[in-house]
Amino acid sequence: MAAALGTLAHAGLPFFADSPELVESQLRYLLRSLPEGQQRTDLLAVQRRQKQVFEVAMPSGHFFAVAGLPRPSWRGEGTGPLSVTEIRALLRPD
């Protein structure tokens, strides 16, 4: 499970409205007992990205609605709402 969740840091997060709760629950469970190492680092990255997504998105039916406002503090550069390019980069990391 830890290996599968760790791939989300590179492949993107599942953006169905019921998935994030499952992902967060599994992350919390695994991080309580996982020792330091690459796997733990990957899971912490997924957890951080998930929190960032929820600063600009919210469940809306089966998918997420992305408002783009207010601009998240961790996205320091720029002013005003997030651009379409910034939103796409947030939802689908390279």
Side-chain angles (χ1 to χ4, degrees), residues 13-35:
L13 296 173
F15 286 105
F16 294 101
D18 54 351
S19 299
E21 290 176 358
L22 174 62
V23 170
E24 182 59 30
S25 171
Q26 292 298 310
L27 286 171
R28 282 193 317 263
Y29 174 79
L30 292 166
L31 288 170
R32 280 195 295 263
S33 59
L34 202 60

Side-chain angles (χ1 to χ4, degrees), residues 11-66:
L13 296 173
F15 286 105
F16 294 101
D18 54 351
S19 299
E21 290 176 358
L22 174 62
V23 170
E24 182 59 30
S25 171
Q26 292 298 310
L27 286 171
R28 282 193 317 263
Y29 174 79
L30 292 166
L31 288 170
R32 280 195 295 263
S33 59
L34 202 60
E36 292 298 323
Q38 186 59 48
Q39 203 169 43
R40 182 177 181 81
T41 301
D42 290 345
L43 293 183
L44 288 169
V46 170
Q47 189 177 50
R48 184 174 45 258
R49 283 203 34 79
Q50 188 176 35
K51 288 178 184 177
Q52 290 175 344
V53 166
F54 280 111
E55 285 188 38
V56 296
M58 64 180 155
S60 176
H62 292 292
F63 299 97
F64 282 86
V66 181

